[in-house]
Amino acid sequence: MTNADDAPALLLGKPTWLVNQVSGYAHRLLATHLGQVGARGYHFRTLAVLAEFGPISQADLGRHAQMDRSDVTAAVSELAADGLAERVPDTSDRRRNVVSITQAGRDRLRQLDQILDGVQEELLAPLTAEERSALTGLLARLLSHHATAGTPQPWAG
Amino acid sequence: MTNADDAPALLLGKPTWLVNQVSGYAHRLLATHLGQVGARGYHFRTLAVLAEFGPISQADLGRHAQMDRSDVTAAVSELAADGLAERVPDTSDRRRNVVSITQAGRDRLRQLDQILDGVQEELLAPLTAEERSALTGLLARLLSHHATAGTPQPWAG
DNA sequence: CTCATTTCAGTGTTACTGACATAC
DNA sequence: CGTATGTCAGTATCACTGAAATGA
């Protein structure tokens, strides 16, 4: 009828609802800004791990980036096709590939990182610096708790 | 190689990463516990809106629950098939349906709500009561900001 | 033999897009 | 006419499952 867009109290009282909604906004901002330069979240996550930990196997890459191994395979193939990463067989363990970032990949990572910094500002716009650090501190606490607890992990397979 | 599952600093410093990861844990907990009783998140969201705002049109239902109209159609059909909601044509505006919750739907909502309360406890386990209210307060601030700002909305269509 | 790694094909939820018919 | 509603079909991202082939 009218433009009443308030969620029911049953939802507003649930932290899972709040965090899912905020994550939804973050996801849409990310998809919009990354999509404008032809990138996806998996690309940034993969490049960030390669820059900090690579050369590395795809399995370890997935553990660092919280990605399933099958998704790592696809992301690395896409990055390699664009010359942003290289995939070569591991001679010391022939089950594995060794994935490394190229110079073009480092440039791409720098570009995407700047885009992401803009998104952070947009997402947290209404909060003061103190509130932002309080929020990130609490979220980091939850993350480290569940990373070491029995909570299901995305990279379990 | 070893079981190094630390994310790169480039990711850990991004609030979008933190909130997306926490949302991922919440999503997995929700999917697991709701799935055990044959429910999905859309079902709870729809029932919660119907209990608080219904009888209501599907378009308004979607605005309250932050759901796309096409997803509302599917969710209402599923709930109606289980006798948890009713859908009848609106005689005063023949474009619309009027959706309402049944007694079985209210019982189901109460069951799902208890499940969700358990999930909240599991998600926020490491935080004190003060920290929990600080976190939910900050998330709610972000939500109301983006709900009234130019940030893309899920129910825009 | 067991386990780990890579790859492939496919599923599921949520979110979203485009189209259509209908009706205000 | 433009706008809103409901429905349908299909897509995208991310997350995940199962299986196969290879090799430690």
Side-chain angles (χ1 to χ4, degrees):
Chain A
M1 203 161 252
T2 62
N3 193 14
D5 48 19
D6 290 310
L10 227 46
L11 283 178
L12 286 175
K14 301 268 187 301
T16 50
W17 166 260
L18 297 174
V19 79
N20 277 332
Q21 288 298 115
V22 172
S23 173
Y25 282 113
H27 188 269
R28 281 186 289 276
L29 290 171
L30 248 14
T32 301
H33 291 266
L34 289 179
Q36 284 173 352
V37 296
R40 297 189 298 136
Y42 276 178
H43 297 160
F44 177 77
R45 286 157 69 170
T46 300
L47 289 173
V49 169
L50 292 180
E52 187 160 330
F53 298 98
I56 192 175
S57 76
Q58 293 184 187
D60 281 343
L61 203 174
R63 293 187 188 101
H64 285 296
Q66 302 272 82
M67 288 167 62
D68 189 85
R69 280 188 286 210
S70 61
D71 298 313
V72 172
T73 295
V76 169
S77 297
E78 291 164 6
L79 294 175
D82 290 342
L84 306 176
E86 277 179 349
R87 167 164 47 191
V88 299
D90 186 337
T91 55
S92 70
D93 184 341
R94 298 188 355 254
R95 294 171 302 180
R96 296 179 175 162
N97 293 327
V98 175
V99 185
S100 49
I101 192 170
T102 65
Q103 184 55 49
R106 292 186 193 278
D107 296 341
R108 176 68 154 170
L109 177 59
R110 201 168 306 121
Q111 176 202 19
L112 297 184
D113 194 44
Q114 288 175 3
I115 291 175
L116 286 223
D117 282 343
V119 169
Q120 310 307 312
E121 180 54 40
E122 201 171 342
L123 181 71
L124 302 183
L127 301 187
T128 68
E130 290 75 21
E131 289 169 333
R132 294 178 189 201
S133 87
L135 176 63
T136 55
L138 291 169
L139 292 173
R141 290 255 312 279
L142 291 183
L143 222 54
S144 68
H145 169 82
H146 292 288
T148 57
T151 316
Q153 303 290 329
W155 41 270
Chain B
M1 204 159 257
T2 63
N3 194 13
D5 47 20
D6 291 309
L10 227 46
L11 282 178
L12 285 176
K14 300 269 188 302
T16 51
W17 166 259
L18 298 174
V19 78
N20 276 332
Q21 287 300 114
V22 171
S23 173
Y25 282 113
H27 187 269
R28 282 187 287 276
L29 290 171
L30 248 14
T32 301
H33 291 266
L34 288 178
Q36 285 173 351
V37 297
R40 297 189 297 138
Y42 277 179
H43 297 159
F44 177 78
R45 287 156 68 171
T46 300
L47 289 174
V49 170
L50 290 180
E52 188 159 329
F53 298 98
I56 192 175
S57 76
Q58 294 184 189
D60 282 343
L61 202 174
R63 294 188 189 101
H64 285 297
Q66 303 272 83
M67 288 167 62
D68 188 86
R69 278 190 295 228
S70 63
D71 299 313
V72 172
T73 295
V76 169
S77 296
E78 291 164 6
L79 293 175
D82 289 342
L84 306 175
E86 277 179 350
R87 167 163 49 190
V88 299
D90 186 338
T91 54
S92 70
D93 183 341
R94 287 164 30 235
R95 293 172 302 179
R96 295 179 177 164
N97 293 326
V98 175
V99 184
S100 49
I101 193 170
T102 65
Q103 184 53 49
R106 293 186 192 279
D107 296 341
R108 176 68 154 170
L109 178 59
R110 200 168 307 120
Q111 176 202 19
L112 297 184
D113 194 44
Q114 288 176 2
I115 291 176
L116 286 223
D117 283 342
V119 169
Q120 311 307 312
E121 179 54 39
E122 200 171 342
L123 181 71
L124 302 182
L127 302 186
T128 67
E130 290 76 20
E131 291 169 331
R132 294 178 190 200
S133 87
L135 176 64
T136 55
L138 291 168
L139 292 173
R141 290 258 309 282
L142 291 182
L143 222 54
S144 69
H145 169 81
H146 290 288
T148 57
T151 316
Q153 302 290 330
W155 41 269

